[in-house]
Amino acid sequence: MKLLVVEDDRDTSDGICEYFKVAGYEVTAAYDGENALELAGLYSYDLILLDVMLPKLTGLAVLYELRKSSNVPVIMLTAIGDEYTQVASFDGMADDYVTKPFSIVLLEKRVKALLRRGKSGDISCLWRHKDVTVDFAGFTAEGKNGLIDVTPREVMLLRLLAEHRGKVLTRERILDELWGEDRPVFDRTVDSHIKNLRKKLNLDCIVTITGVGYKLEEER
């Protein structure tokens, strides 16, 4: 698997690159936004780790430019934890978002999860249930009365359940997949997001498995 690591801090970049090389990945490093776009245009990568704060071109600018012609999975790396930057990343169709400092082990798990999704090919960007259509790529939802206000995290949670249709996902698993190092202290955060999804999208297909977690059941 080929990774492009875009990070202007040399020590951080070296650490990430060395870890993934040892793990068996083929890794290329870029240290500014312009170089990242140049490399992405010349070579094919399976996934890009993209810092937000970069010289020459910001990570968000790079992401928006990439999405004009590529669906390569992108994980944003940044020390910025404000909601605006996170939403902007998802609006630019980033696949995941990791806030520094992060665990390199959990970062690899997120990389593996995204690569698995890319290989499976068993889920469309559009998901439909009764009168509701959810665009996983655009992080939007629409019902018979128009657009429905959903958060990027709620869409990511629904996609995770859809990707594992019929299988029970524990709260712990969901927290690891969607929050990683930024995971909240209480796993009731997952319950809250599930409650919001059910209410906003009128979903009766998300089933609670008492004491374990949740699964998505729907007719194929």
Side-chain angles (χ1 to χ4, degrees), residues 21-59:
K21 284 178 181 177
V22 171
Y25 295 82
E26 184 178 333
V27 185
T28 302
Y31 303 104
D32 64 65
E34 288 184 357
N35 185 219
L37 283 178
E38 181 182 6
L39 288 170
L42 290 173
Y43 306 103
S44 176
Y45 297 98
D46 296 294
L47 187 141
I48 297 176
L49 299 175
L50 180 60
D51 189 27
V52 169
M53 300 302 291
L54 293 169
K56 297 186 179 180
L57 280 176
T58 67

Side-chain angles (χ1 to χ4, degrees), residues 25-171:
Y25 295 82
E26 184 178 333
V27 185
T28 302
Y31 303 104
D32 64 65
E34 288 184 357
N35 185 219
L37 283 178
E38 181 182 6
L39 288 170
L42 290 173
Y43 306 103
S44 176
Y45 297 98
D46 296 294
L47 187 141
I48 297 176
L49 299 175
L50 180 60
D51 189 27
V52 169
M53 300 302 291
L54 293 169
K56 297 186 179 180
L57 280 176
T58 67
L60 289 175
V62 171
L63 176 64
Y64 294 146
E65 194 64 31
L66 279 173
R67 285 296 178 251
K68 291 179 181 179
S69 59
S70 174
N71 289 321
V72 60
V74 175
I75 298 178
M76 305 300 290
L77 307 177
T78 181
I80 300 175
D82 65 280
E83 184 179 359
Y84 170 80
T85 304
Q86 295 183 35
V87 171
S89 296
F90 290 127
D91 284 345
M93 290 193 288
D95 296 274
D96 206 347
Y97 184 103
V98 178
T99 303
K100 301 175 184 175
F102 52 79
S103 161
I104 191 71
V105 175
L106 284 179
L107 176 60
E108 185 190 11
K109 286 185 177 294
R110 291 192 175 200
V111 167
K112 286 182 175 179
L114 278 178
L115 292 176
R116 282 198 305 271
R117 292 175 198 173
K119 285 183 176 180
S120 64
D122 61 356
I123 183 166
S124 168
C125 286
L126 293 180
W127 180 86
R128 295 180 176 86
H129 181 74
K130 296 183 178 179
D131 295 328
V132 172
T133 299
V134 180
D135 182 350
F136 291 137
F139 293 93
T140 59
E142 189 170 355
K144 59 183 179 180
N145 295 320
L147 288 176
I148 301 170
D149 183 21
V150 289
T151 68
R153 193 87 69 174
E154 289 164 356
V155 175
M156 292 170 69
L157 173 54
L158 180 58
R159 175 166 184 157
L160 183 65
L161 291 169
E163 287 172 341
H164 298 84
R165 184 189 299 110
K167 297 180 181 179
V168 180
L169 297 183
T170 65
R171 292 179 178 85

